[in-house]
Amino acid sequence: MTSNSEYFIPQQIDDTIQCLKFIPVQNANYLATGGWDCKLRVFNVNYNITNANLPQEDAQIQANLQFGHQHNSQIFSLSWEGSTGRIFTGCADGSVNYLDMQKNSLTTLGKHKNPCKEVIYHQNYNILLTGGYDGAVKIFDIRNGTEVCSYQFDNKVYTMSCEKDLLVVGLSELKMAYFNLAKLQNKIFKPEMMFNSHLKFQTRKVAVFPDGKGFAEGSIEGRVAIKNIKDFNNPPQINPETGTIMGKDSEGTDDFAFRCHRTKGNPSLVYSVNDIAFNRPYGTFCTIGSDGIYSIWDKQKKSRLHERSENNDGVPLTCCDFNATGNLLAFASGYDWSRGAEDAKKYNQSSNKIGIHYLPPKQRRN
């Protein structure tokens, strides 16, 4: 085991990791990863806390590869089927897959016409939500593996996030939408609202609050917006020209936007916000960027709790997730092509890493 604020899994990763998720189970730290080498990997992460309850509280961390499965296409998204140990994957060939690790078998549930960008398992409804570059958002009933309904957008689906009854979709050309999944009981699946992004540049990532009452949105120009949704049944009106919410009472007092993943100086360098993940037990969240930095934020106090500075080699970070207990943060590094082909020459296979950071109490909340 290694004692450090960051531990890097020694497993060789052949290409950039695109997605990673901890199993949503307390005290079971299985981490699934997928990416451009077409391989799904599952690691078992173990840790022992040192100097507990002291300012220098840390942990000894170790991770071992438990399972691997080669897909036929690059893996863009993955989601655990609750605590079952089974995993859904969405791939560049458009396939939506169901992997049973115990049987080491892969079943294709359906397909998008273009790459499948997002897969999200919703335990309360026992459904799988998927979104693709074909503009389709689909729902699969995993009991029989069939597609039960879908909604077709005119824009590509770049990012999706779901908690409780709130599903938020980030689309190409700065379009956004959200759904109320409670209406599935009446067989209604269409957006409650469609509106322009609250940010000026393309949405890279959305993440719904753990309580399902709003969402965070990150863009390619190093900004994050925090938006609250007050009432599903009485959604605020959106100005079609500007995309802004109309009326004084409609705008949430807790809504705000802030800059991140930028260098200081004049001019400053601006980096993409590649992922946003919420720490469910604590309500704080992490942003990661093309600058190779992760930051942990408290949206209630509008403050930063921690920023990665140690061991930062400048390699872009591509995805992140907290474990169910809320004291481990997993992140992946590798070239994200945000700076084009020219910058790709700076990176090689050794740039592709999976890191684990232990969060002492002061990094979980104020």
Side-chain angles (χ1 to χ4, degrees):
M1 290 190 175
T2 300
S3 179
N4 203 330
S5 62
E6 289 183 6
Y7 164 82
F8 289 95
I9 297 174
Q11 180 79 20
Q12 177 179 306
I13 308 297
D14 300 319
D15 208 336
T16 304
I17 295 293
Q18 181 72 16
C19 51
L20 54 75
K21 294 290 181 183
F22 276 108
I23 190 170
V25 178
Q26 293 282 335
N27 303 316
N29 298 307
Y30 290 101
L31 178 67
T33 71
W36 289 88
D37 63 359
C38 308
K39 191 165 188 178
L40 178 82
R41 297 175 176 87
V42 178
F43 298 92
N44 185 16
V45 181
N46 296 291
Y47 65 96
N48 291 322
I49 298 174
T50 59
N51 300 318
N53 302 317
L54 296 176
Q56 64 270 30
E57 180 174 304
D58 205 344
Q60 293 180 319
I61 301 173
Q62 185 181 47
N64 300 303
L65 182 66
Q66 295 290 298
F67 178 82
H69 191 282
Q70 189 74 32
H71 282 50
N72 293 324
S73 182
Q74 296 87 352
I75 302 170
F76 282 179
S77 183
L78 63 87
S79 183
W80 291 89
E81 188 195 347
S83 60
T84 64
R86 295 187 285 267
I87 300 172
F88 299 99
T89 58
C91 294
D93 63 359
S95 63
V96 178
N97 308 296
Y98 182 53
L99 179 66
D100 188 321
M101 289 192 291
Q102 187 174 359
K103 298 178 180 178
N104 195 18
S105 64
L106 188 73
T107 302
T108 298
L109 297 179
K111 240 188 165 182
H112 285 263
K113 295 177 182 178
N114 293 318
C116 177
K117 183 59 174 61
E118 298 286 353
V119 292
I120 304 171
Y121 173 69
H122 197 302
Q123 184 150 3
N124 291 349
Y125 292 107
N126 199 26
I127 57 174
L128 183 71
L129 298 149
T130 72
Y133 285 172
D134 56 359
V137 177
K138 299 173 180 281
I139 294 181
F140 292 87
D141 184 339
I142 66 166
R143 292 170 298 181
N144 51 29
T146 59
E147 180 183 329
V148 293
C149 62
S150 66
Y151 185 87
Q152 183 65 49
F153 289 103
D154 294 330
N155 303 83
K156 295 179 180 178
V157 175
Y158 281 164
T159 177
M160 294 193 337
S161 180
C162 182
E163 295 287 349
K164 310 294 184 182
D165 290 329
L166 176 61
L167 169 66
V168 177
V169 183
L171 302 153
S172 60
E173 299 179 4
L174 297 175
K175 302 300 181 183
M176 301 282 294
Y178 72 74
F179 296 73
N180 180 2
L181 296 183
K183 292 187 175 181
L184 288 175
Q185 299 173 4
N186 296 321
K187 298 183 179 180
I188 298 173
F189 185 60
K190 63 180 182 179
E192 294 294 296
M193 289 186 64
M194 294 188 65
F195 51 95
N196 292 333
S197 168
H198 306 292
L199 301 175
K200 294 180 180 179
F201 291 85
Q202 180 57 53
T203 302
R204 188 78 171 86
K205 186 67 180 181
V206 294
V208 174
F209 304 163
D211 62 7
K213 294 182 179 180
F215 63 95
E217 174 195 357
S219 74
I220 61 171
E221 49 111 21
R223 285 178 67 88
V224 170
I226 300 296
K227 301 300 295 182
N228 293 269
I229 296 176
K230 290 185 175 182
D231 187 354
F232 266 135
N233 297 318
N234 186 26
Q237 291 183 320
I238 295 291
N239 185 320
E241 298 297 325
T242 65
T244 58
I245 296 175
M246 298 169 61
K248 287 184 178 180
D249 295 335
S250 298
E251 185 70 28
T253 58
D254 294 327
D255 293 349
F256 63 96
F258 63 95
R259 297 177 181 178
C260 55
H261 302 287
R262 299 178 178 212
T263 62
K264 296 179 180 179
N266 188 18
S268 65
L269 296 177
V270 178
Y271 297 89
S272 171
V273 178
N274 285 337
D275 202 0
I276 303 173
F278 274 91
N279 190 331
R280 290 170 181 270
Y282 299 99
T284 53
F285 67 97
C286 178
T287 65
I288 62 166
S290 295
D291 54 357
I293 290 175
Y294 59 71
S295 294
I296 300 172
W297 309 86
D298 184 332
K299 70 180 177 66
Q300 301 302 324
K301 297 186 176 181
K302 301 180 182 179
S303 63
R304 181 164 51 201
L305 300 177
H306 177 70
E307 183 177 88
R308 181 195 192 207
S309 56
E310 305 172 28
N311 304 321
N312 181 15
D313 52 12
V315 179
L317 301 185
T318 55
C319 50
C320 64
D321 194 35
F322 290 99
N323 67 340
T325 307
N327 60 0
L328 294 179
L329 171 70
F331 60 93
S333 68
Y335 189 49
D336 60 357
W337 292 87
S338 60
R339 299 284 167 175
E342 188 65 28
D343 265 24
K345 300 174 183 177
K346 299 179 183 178
Y347 307 101
N348 53 38
Q349 194 176 71
S350 65
S351 302
N352 306 316
K353 299 177 182 177
I354 300 168
I356 310 290
H357 171 69
Y358 175 76
L359 291 81
K362 65 181 181 179
Q363 294 179 15
R364 300 173 209 167
R365 62 185 173 192
N366 279 321

